Structures are given as C-alpha cells and as structure tokens.
Amino acid sequence: MSEALLLSVKQKLDNHQKQNPLINEDMKKVIKEMSEIVDIVRDKKLEEGRSLNFLVSDLDDMAEDALHIFKQYGYRTYSWTYDSIRSWMGEIKKQMLKLGDDESNIRSSETVEDDKYVVGLEEDVEFLIPKRIIGGEECLSSLLIKGMAGIGKTTLAREIYNHPTVIQHFERRAWVSNSTHFTTLKELLIKLIQQVEDPESLHTYSSLENMDNRSLRDMLRKHLLGKRYLIVLDDMPKQMRLKSFWDALPDHYNGSRLLLTSHITHRDITISPENVYKMEPLDSKKSWQLFLKTINHGNKLMGEHKFPKSLEYMGKQMLRKCGGLPLAIKEVGKQLVEKKVSGGSEWEQLLDSVDFGSTLKLLEPFYHKIEPRLRSCFFSMAFFKENTTLRAEKLKQIWLVLGAVPQFECESYLDGLVNESVIDVKDKSTEYCMNVVLHMLSIQKAEEEFSFEILRNNGNNQLCESPRHHRVIICSRDKFNYSTDQDKHLVSLFFHGGGYMDASPSYWKSFEQLKILDLEDFGLKFLPDSIGTLMELRYLGLRNNYIKELPESLRCLEKLEVLDIAQNFMVEVPDVIWELPSLLHLYMSNLICWKPLMIDTLENLETLTYVSVDNWTCELSALELGCLKKLGIEELDGNSDVSKMMELFAELDSLEHLILRGHRFRSMPSLDEIGVLDRLYTLKLDGLLARLPNNLPPNIDSLTLVNSCLDEDPMPLLAEKLGLLKYLKLRNAYTGQHMVILPNAFTRLEKLCIEELWNLRNVQLGERAMDCLKTLEIHDCPCLDTLPKEIATKCLFKELKMVTTKSIAAKMRNSDLISKIDKVNINPMS
C-alpha cells in the first residue's frame, strides 16, 4: 500500500512536469527527491508498518503541498518555500533508510509530568503567563522558548502547561514531544486530535492512522473550532514543515496559543522577536540551590551524610564547570549521590572526581541536530579557552584559513551558530560566548571527528596513533617537553597557559604545513627568528603578550593573511611587514618603528588597526589601499592635520568602519571635517573632545564615544545628525547631570549603552523618541536612580541590563516600571 501510494504521488509529479515543460528548478528538485525515495522503498523492500505508513503520508502531503504552491504562485514563489518542503522530504528519506523491525517508538499518548528538581523558573513563569500566554494578542500567536539543550526549555513549558491559571483559562490543551523519538507530521496530528477531541467522539489510534494528513488536519481544525486552546510542541524536528500544521489551526481572536520549545527558530512559523523567549543559564545562587535540591531529593543522604557546609566554597567552584546548565547540575548531583550512597567516600574526594562524561552523553542529541555545514565551526570552538570572549573577526578569519566556510558566507555561519544556540551574542554581533559544558562537547567531538588533540607540557601525554591536524598545547611553569614526530602534519596550533615556553628555535622548524599559530593572551616575551620557517602560515595571533621585538624573519611569511600584534606595549616592528604581499588584516598599536611605515604597499589590506596619525598623514600621499574596510588611527592631538587626514580617508572607496583614538594625555582636535566620509557605517571616537563635530557622517548606524568627557549633552546633536543610528554607546563620554532625548529623536535606535557617566542623575525622554529601542544597558552610573517613565511605552523595549550601587539596585528592582520589561538583569557593582 505504501509503495503504491508513493508511485501514485510520483506519477502525479511526473505528469505535472510533462504538462509544464518550463517548470522551475525548485519544483524539479522536489520531483527528483521523490523519485529517489520511491527507489529506496523499492530497493529495500520495506515491509508495511506504522512507521513506513507515517513517513509515506508525510511525503504525500509534501508533494501535494509543492503542487499546490506551484499552481497558485508559479515562478513567483520564493525558493525557501520549496527548500522547506525538500528539507522535510530529505529527513523522511533519512528515516526510511533507518527503518528496521522496531516499531515500538510509536506511541499513542503523551504524558506531561512535573519535574522533580525545579529552581529559578518562578520569574519566567510569572512573566510569561500573564504577558504572553493569557495576556497579549487576541489572535492566535506563537511563543518560542529558545536555548541550548539542557537549559530547561521543556521544564519551563511544563510549568506553564500545568499551571492552574493556564488550565482554567484554556478549554483545550495538548502537548506533543519529540524528545524520545522521531515525530512525523502525521503522528503530530494524531496525538493532538486525541488530546483535544470531545469525549463523545473519541477515535482509536488505529482508526486515525488509516487517514491521510489532509483529513487529519480537517479533523483537528473541527475539534478546535470555537475553542480557546493551548498547544505545546516540544522540541519538534527543525526540518519539519510546520506550516502544514499551522494552516490547520483556527484563529477566532480568542487568545489561543501555540507554544514551541526549540534550540532554533523555525522559519515555517512566523514568530515576532518579542515572542522569542531566550532562556539564560542559572546564576551561581540558583545553581547552588538546584544542586542541593538534587542531592537531597528522596532523603537518600541522611544525617552525617548530607553535604557539609564547610565544603560549600569547593562545591560552588565545582559547579562553575556546569555553566549554569540545569542538565549538568542535576547530572553531577545524581552522580555524587550514587557514589556517596554506594561507596561512602568523603565529599571532598567526590568533588575532585566529578566526571562530566555522562552529561556530555546527554548532549549528544543536541550535537546531532546541529546543521551539518556548521559542524566544522563547532569543532573549531575547541581551539579556544573556556569562558573566553570570541571575537567575530577572529572566528571568521580562522574559519576561512581552515576552509570551514565559503569566502563570502562567514556572517551566515555566525548567524547559524547563534540560531542553533551554539553561541550567544555578547555585544552587537562583534563578540560571542559559549557555554562551558558545550565547550567540553566541542572538544570531545573535535577529538573524535576533527583530527584534534590537547597536549600539556608536563610530558604526560599519549599521542594518537594517527597524526593530528589541530592541536592545543596547555603550558604551565613546568619545563616545556615536546616531540616533533607528528608536528609536520599540523595545520593549526594554539597555545594556552602561563607564557613559560623554553622550546628551542629548532622547534618551529618542524611545522611544514602549519597555517594557524595562535599565542593570544599567552604572556609570551620572545618570538624566535625561526618563526620565519613557517612558510605556509596564514594566521599569526600574538595579541596581548609582552613581546618587545618582532624578528626580521617575518618577511619570509609570504602567505600570511592575518597578523595580530595588538596589545603588546611598545613593540619594536622591523621594516618587513610591508613586504608581506598576502596580508589582509593587520592589528597593532603602540609601535616603535625606526623607519617610516610603508603601508601603501599592502594593496590587499582590508583591516588596519591601529596606526599612528603621524605615520598615516606623512607617508600615504600616494594612497593605494583600495580594499581597506576598517581603519584605526591613534595618537590624535591638537597638532594633527585633520584636513589632510580626512582628505586621504575620503579616497578610500571601501572604508566602512573608522576608529579614531586620541593621545593619552591630550585632547583630540576638532573633527568637523569628518562629515565628508559619507560611506562610513561604524564610527568610534576614543579620547577627550572639547565638543562633538558639527558634521557627522550621515549614514552611521553604529556610534561609540569613549572617554570624550563632554561638558555639553551630546544627545540633541547626535539625534539631529544621525537619523539612521541603530547602536549608540557612551562610556565616560559626558560629565553633565541631565540628559535630554528630544521628541521624535533616534527613531531607528535599537540599543543604547551608557557606562561610567558618573554625574548623570536623570534622563528626559521626549514623545515618540527611541520607539525602536529594544535593549538598554546602564553600567556604573551611580547617581542615576530612576528611568524615564516613557520608556515603558516602547512596545519593542524588552531588555534592561544594569550594574549600579546596591541601594539603587534595590530601588530599581521594586519599581513598577521594571515589572513592564521582559528581561531585567540588575546587579550591584562588585
């Protein structure tokens, strides 16, 4: 029967292709995919069964969907619509290849049990139920609870689903989970029908499974008509074409809700940004509460066996490795209880022996859900230290050198990792972070699948039988022991630790294929001349070290694309960098150069930060840096020739990002002529300013003012000159007590950060000003003890982050205004 239905579907698609000789490429791909699936069923001679029946029903549904879309929209249809159909067809094909004899994973009911260990969700529940579940839009709307595996998405959804207020409010409730087995669209529809249908019209599971998907959708719609309902879809496959299900839901403007939990944002269902609720890890206090609740559950540990108060500090240090992830905290707690009950070991010994292997095993499904194209990027996270800030520029450069991403798709890969909840944005998409447990998983998977290893310089290492291509060396104060047996195979080498490395110069000569060498934050004092033997090197990271001088042999690195020597105070640079023909990105500052900088010889340079203003204006009259996109100039003062500098900048057709940094002890000059740079999108001014420039580049969408110490309120002028501004950061930029944001000002501003405005006491917000504001961050403004009441009227304003005095923090937490903001994080200054 299943094969016959597939053949029928294939025949319909083939006939459609014959009748439409100019059929688009997307439809051809759907037809080709269907033909391949028919061949699979025929070749494998799959026996009839529930699983095959469900998969074939979904294929029939997708084929009909594709035909309907083409007949209705023809060539006007966006490709992603067909991609959505083909994505689900591809997943079905994958499941068919797995089909065996086991049909036990198909279940006819869902149970929604209470979690035994719940901590830290009270605020989430109290916010979401009145504002998003019961309150909010009258029309049918969707809410997505998003976050990485183990963060507590399902637990939070369960708390909402079983809340008495929710039970009383909705006439129909249904819950379907994909957490234990693969769920098809047909199974999803059947389970929903069984939970929402009237008692007098109960259908058996077997009777429903004989119906096709279209009939099931009609039945579901019939049972929900006129009812206020809540449907929870827990962890549905990201490939599932949920639009097919969404179209079956009736909308009577009665406040019905669809609640989803997922690590991604499903593109088939439109969810407004304010209806995406991102879950954050538990803080240290709540992590400790969950830990104690876990180990004390069930009274397994009585009396003297309970966790001792004296080891609380040690226990909290151990919990830091859990990264606030409830899954990890519970797993560690259960592990300790089992060992304590069975072995009776001392708590101190148990804490020292905690193994995260079982936790990583629980995260395996999350890893397998990561989009395959992102796997190499995920593995590369193993190169970095845990809890480190991941700079977007560095990530993209390393990926390109490794060949992990196509040349012009770095941004989409970064966005993909964020959407998959692998990394989180820290600062306007230029900095990211990764949960420490997920970082452990990246190391484990890189070791298994990415030819990666971690070695320690204590010599207690067991080299893998097969040569590794990627290596992290963790150094301590011990003698640096190394072996060169497998070095010639290495492509990337990262050093972590304390900077003590007594490797001989000959050590570097053993790396024949090395493309990436990173010693950032290592504390290195000396770079050997033999570094010039690394002829294949394309990335050299030396940021934040104590290097006093770069060797002349750098001129031999003709393939070098990235050289990062920033934050090495007063490093002496020989006149060789300008001989590197492949250099694309050069990061430096506070240089000592005995000869003029020949920057104009680097014709392919895209990034240059920072170069002294004297070197720039004196040496670049014949400018040839046509590829330069990002430029940083430092040591600006009243003697700087701003006119000549701006004249040179205006010749840079590709320049989009500019950073101007003043001399440490002097005021920056007048920058009125900066307005001619109409191609700039990002501007950062770092240094003392007597006043803001009268003219600013009109297309700026991101502005940062640091240490400007302006006497006059900068907001009126910024609002007048920068109508496209989306991001504004002021750090120690204004010394006044009052800030005025005029009516209708900053109409596109999405994020405002104010830091170290020590005298600021109040902010006045005019009518319809900052209507697009989403995030407000306030750090170290000890006199600002209130927010303008108008900010609560901004419908897009969802997040407030504040670090202030203890008294102001307490006052703000009790403010009525705060209760109207979705995400509030107010902490006292440390």
Side-chain angles (χ1 to χ4, degrees):
M1 178 180 175
S2 295
E3 184 178 351
L5 178 57
L6 277 177
L7 290 171
S8 172
V9 171
K10 183 179 180 298
Q11 187 63 48
K12 280 190 286 187
L13 291 172
D14 289 340
N15 291 339
H16 176 76
Q17 188 169 14
K18 291 176 183 177
Q19 295 167 9
N20 299 273
L22 298 179
I23 191 172
N24 62 21
E25 289 299 317
D26 295 305
M27 193 65 189
K28 287 180 182 178
K29 292 177 182 177
V30 171
I31 296 171
K32 182 176 182 292
E33 191 81 28
M34 181 61 71
S35 297
E36 292 177 359
I37 293 171
V38 170
D39 292 340
I40 288 173
V41 174
R42 185 181 291 143
D43 293 344
K44 288 196 71 176
K45 297 179 181 179
L46 294 171
E47 295 184 7
E48 293 291 334
R50 182 177 289 171
S51 295
L52 181 61
N53 172 275
F54 283 9
L55 293 170
V56 170
S57 292
D58 276 20
L59 282 171
D60 177 38
D61 202 16
M62 294 301 99
E64 289 290 341
D65 201 4
L67 285 170
H68 173 74
I69 289 170
F70 186 84
K71 289 175 182 178
Q72 186 170 6
Y73 302 105
Y75 297 97
R76 301 189 306 276
T77 311
Y78 292 110
S79 292
W80 67 264
T81 306
Y82 287 106
D83 288 343
S84 173
I85 293 172
R86 284 175 33 241
S87 178
W88 188 234
M89 291 178 72
E91 185 60 33
I92 292 170
K93 180 169 70 173
K94 189 189 304 182
Q95 295 300 320
M96 281 185 167
L97 290 170
K98 294 179 182 178
L99 278 182
D101 301 324
D102 185 14
E103 297 280 323
S104 61
N105 64 346
I106 304 296
R107 300 176 300 165
S108 61
S109 63
E110 292 285 332
T111 57
V112 187
E113 300 175 352
D114 293 324
D115 198 307
K116 297 175 183 177
Y117 321 107
V118 178
V119 168
L121 297 181
E122 298 83 1
E123 294 178 1
D124 305 88
V125 171
E126 289 175 6
F127 167 76
L128 288 173
I129 289 178
K131 292 192 176 182
R132 294 289 183 269
I133 302 298
I134 293 176
E137 303 172 76
E138 285 300 312
C139 61
L140 172 64
S141 63
S142 305
L143 171 67
L144 171 64
I145 300 176
K146 186 174 183 287
M148 66 168 287
I151 199 75
K153 303 182 297 294
T154 300
T155 304
L156 176 57
R158 187 181 293 118
E159 292 289 299
I160 292 171
Y161 188 84
N162 289 329
H163 197 280
T165 305
V166 171
I167 294 173
Q168 184 178 6
H169 183 75
F170 292 99
E171 299 171 74
R172 294 286 186 270
R173 293 181 308 133
W175 175 295
V176 180
S177 177
N178 185 64
S179 58
T180 56
H181 71 289
F182 179 78
T183 302
T184 61
L185 271 168
K186 181 167 187 174
E187 185 181 4
L188 169 65
L189 293 168
I190 290 174
K191 289 180 176 180
L192 289 175
I193 289 170
Q194 288 192 310
Q195 294 177 70
V196 302
E197 65 182 339
D198 298 319
E200 62 271 14
S201 60
L202 285 174
H203 290 78
T204 63
Y205 199 86
S206 57
S207 66
L208 292 173
E209 67 180 82
N210 290 324
M211 300 171 65
D212 60 30
N213 286 20
R214 289 177 292 283
S215 301
L216 291 170
R217 281 198 297 270
D218 291 341
M219 181 178 289
L220 176 63
R221 185 177 185 85
K222 177 182 177 182
H223 286 306
L224 293 176
L225 275 173
K227 306 290 194 304
R228 184 191 293 126
Y229 56 88
L230 168 66
I231 292 175
V232 179
L233 303 184
D234 179 33
D235 196 28
M236 288 296 110
K238 63 181 177 182
Q239 300 88 350
M240 181 180 279
R241 182 161 163 76
L242 287 175
K243 189 177 187 306
S244 178
F245 152 75
W246 174 260
D247 290 342
L249 300 179
D251 183 4
H252 295 288
Y253 290 84
N254 61 359
S256 293
R257 297 287 181 262
L258 174 63
L259 176 59
L260 300 100
T261 72
S262 181
H263 69 287
I264 63 158
T265 303
H266 284 269
R267 64 180 180 180
D268 275 340
I269 294 182
T270 302
I271 301 178
S272 58
E274 59 267 25
N275 283 342
V276 176
Y277 193 79
K278 187 177 180 304
M279 294 200 68
E280 303 292 343
L282 299 178
D283 59 26
S284 58
K285 181 179 179 181
K286 291 175 181 176
S287 295
W288 185 247
Q289 291 174 353
L290 181 58
F291 173 71
L292 291 180
K293 194 169 185 178
T294 303
I295 64 174
N296 291 327
H297 178 76
N299 294 320
K300 287 184 178 180
L301 302 175
M302 301 295 293
E304 68 277 6
H305 293 303
K306 285 191 174 183
F307 194 85
K309 184 77 173 176
S310 59
L311 291 180
E312 183 172 326
Y313 175 78
M314 185 177 178
K316 288 181 177 179
Q317 289 296 108
M318 179 273 299
L319 280 186
R320 292 179 64 183
K321 297 179 181 179
C322 295
L325 194 67
L327 174 74
I329 296 168
K330 293 177 185 179
E331 189 64 23
V332 165
K334 292 174 185 176
Q335 180 185 138
L336 291 174
V337 169
E338 290 172 3
K339 289 183 178 180
K340 184 68 175 175
V341 171
S342 60
S345 303
E346 294 296 326
W347 279 111
E348 191 169 357
Q349 295 175 319
L350 293 175
L351 290 174
D352 284 333
S353 65
V354 168
D355 178 18
F356 284 88
S358 59
T359 300
L360 299 184
K361 188 72 175 175
L362 293 172
L363 287 177
E364 282 274 346
F366 175 75
Y367 165 73
H368 290 296
K369 291 174 186 176
I370 296 174
E371 194 175 344
R373 73 180 183 119
L374 301 176
R375 294 277 173 82
S376 294
C377 298
F378 177 72
F379 298 146
S380 72
M381 298 301 169
F383 300 160
F384 303 97
K385 300 175 186 176
E386 66 176 37
N387 281 325
T388 193
T389 295
L390 304 165
R391 298 193 309 278
E393 287 181 323
K394 183 173 182 177
L395 287 174
K396 290 186 285 189
Q397 289 158 6
I398 286 175
W399 294 343
L400 286 172
V401 171
L402 292 176
V405 302
Q407 180 68 40
F408 301 106
E409 296 185 26
C410 288
E411 290 298 333
S412 72
Y413 278 69
L414 274 170
D415 292 342
L417 290 176
V418 173
N419 187 46
E420 297 264 6
S421 300
V422 173
I423 58 177
D424 291 318
V425 179
K426 284 190 69 174
D427 179 32
K428 61 167 185 166
S429 298
T430 61
E431 294 181 345
Y432 299 85
C433 60
M434 187 180 200
N435 186 276
V436 293
V437 181
L438 204 53
H439 182 256
M440 291 183 206
L441 184 65
S442 73
I443 292 174
Q444 182 187 86
K445 291 303 174 184
E447 290 174 337
E448 294 173 357
E449 304 179 32
F450 199 56
S451 189
F452 170 79
E453 66 183 355
I454 295 180
L455 301 181
R456 300 182 183 275
N457 76 326
N458 57 16
N460 297 323
N461 299 294
Q462 184 175 357
L463 291 176
C464 301
E465 293 182 4
S466 59
R468 304 281 91 180
H469 294 151
H470 312 283
R471 178 185 297 168
V472 166
I473 295 180
I474 300 177
C475 294
S476 64
R477 303 300 298 178
D478 298 326
K479 181 177 176 60
F480 183 73
N481 296 308
Y482 58 91
S483 168
T484 61
D485 293 341
Q486 298 184 358
D487 291 347
K488 63 181 180 180
H489 300 283
L490 280 179
V491 174
S492 62
L493 178 61
F494 289 72
F495 281 84
H496 300 165
Y500 181 74
M501 183 177 64
D502 60 350
S504 66
S506 62
Y507 172 71
W508 302 106
K509 297 180 181 179
S510 60
F511 302 104
E512 299 176 5
Q513 301 181 36
L514 197 67
K515 295 181 179 180
I516 298 173
L517 174 60
D518 188 72
L519 294 123
E520 183 171 340
D521 300 328
F522 189 65
L524 193 68
K525 296 180 180 179
F526 171 73
L527 194 65
D529 193 64
S530 53
I531 202 78
T533 62
L534 304 177
M535 303 297 291
E536 298 297 317
L537 202 64
R538 293 171 59 188
Y539 181 101
L540 179 56
L542 303 172
R543 179 181 292 240
N544 195 27
N545 282 287
Y546 302 103
I547 299 172
K548 296 299 182 184
E549 182 180 4
L550 294 181
E552 293 271 351
S553 64
L554 279 182
R555 62 161 42 98
C556 302
L557 306 180
E558 295 186 356
K559 295 184 180 181
L560 194 66
E561 297 173 5
V562 182
L563 176 59
D564 189 348
I565 54 174
Q567 300 177 30
N568 284 273
F569 184 67
M570 302 305 289
V571 60
E572 185 174 329
V573 178
D575 187 29
V576 298
I577 291 179
W578 329 118
E579 301 177 21
L580 302 176
S582 302
L583 204 59
L584 299 176
H585 308 281
L586 176 56
Y587 304 93
M588 54 189 184
S589 58
N590 298 313
L591 304 183
I592 298 176
C593 302
W594 300 112
K595 293 183 179 181
L597 303 182
M598 306 297 291
I599 301 171
D600 53 330
T601 64
L602 303 176
E603 297 180 359
N604 298 314
L605 203 63
E606 297 179 7
T607 305
L608 175 58
T609 60
Y610 292 88
V611 61
S612 166
V613 64
D614 295 328
N615 284 319
W616 179 269
T617 55
C618 292
E619 307 299 335
L620 298 179
S621 55
L623 197 62
E624 296 183 10
L625 298 178
C627 299
L628 197 64
K629 297 179 181 179
K630 183 176 181 178
L631 173 64
I633 302 292
E634 63 182 1
E635 297 184 353
L636 281 164
D637 62 16
N639 297 319
S640 302
D641 189 343
V642 175
S643 296
K644 185 176 181 180
M645 184 171 62
M646 295 304 166
E647 181 181 332
L648 290 170
F649 291 170
E651 297 181 24
L652 299 173
D653 293 338
S654 300
L655 189 63
E656 297 178 349
H657 313 282
L658 178 63
I659 308 169
L660 300 179
R661 179 187 287 174
H663 194 283
R664 287 187 297 276
F665 307 112
R666 304 171 194 162
S667 294
M668 293 176 70
S670 169
L671 299 173
D672 287 341
E673 291 162 294
I674 199 172
V676 300
L677 306 180
D678 54 8
R679 299 184 187 93
L680 280 187
Y681 294 108
T682 301
L683 176 63
K684 179 179 180 179
L685 303 179
D686 183 352
L688 189 63
L689 287 171
R691 59 175 177 81
L692 283 175
N694 289 325
N695 296 305
L696 288 163
N699 294 314
I700 293 290
D701 63 14
S702 175
L703 174 66
T704 301
L705 299 178
V706 178
N707 297 323
S708 306
C709 299
L710 295 163
D711 296 328
E712 185 178 349
D713 182 4
M715 290 309 207
L717 181 61
L718 295 179
E720 177 188 351
K721 301 295 183 180
L722 301 180
L724 303 179
L725 202 62
K726 293 182 179 179
Y727 174 89
L728 176 59
K729 181 175 182 177
L730 306 174
R731 178 158 66 86
N732 192 26
Y734 173 47
T735 60
Q737 298 183 11
H738 309 286
M739 181 179 287
V740 178
I741 301 172
L742 299 172
N744 300 304
F746 300 113
T747 55
R748 298 193 181 188
L749 193 68
E750 296 178 3
K751 185 172 182 178
L752 173 62
C753 303
I754 55 176
E755 302 178 7
E756 300 175 21
L757 303 189
W758 306 108
N759 301 320
L760 186 64
R761 293 184 177 277
N762 66 74
V763 178
Q764 180 180 330
L765 187 61
E767 185 178 357
R768 300 195 62 79
M770 300 198 304
D771 276 353
C772 290
L773 188 69
K774 297 177 182 178
T775 303
L776 174 60
E777 295 186 4
I778 302 172
H779 292 254
D780 299 329
C781 298
C783 297
L784 186 63
D785 62 354
T786 185
L787 297 177
K789 63 180 184 302
E790 292 84 2
I791 202 160
T793 65
K794 310 302 173 186
C795 59
L796 298 179
F797 181 51
K798 302 299 175 186
E799 184 173 18
L800 171 66
K801 295 181 179 179
M802 196 168 185
V803 177
T804 184
T805 64
K806 289 183 178 180
S807 59
I808 294 178
K811 177 181 177 180
M812 293 297 292
R813 289 194 193 101
N814 295 323
S815 169
D816 291 337
L817 182 65
I818 298 304
S819 63
K820 300 175 182 178
I821 303 172
D822 284 11
K823 296 181 180 179
V824 176
N825 188 355
I826 301 176
N827 295 305
M829 297 176 183
S830 56

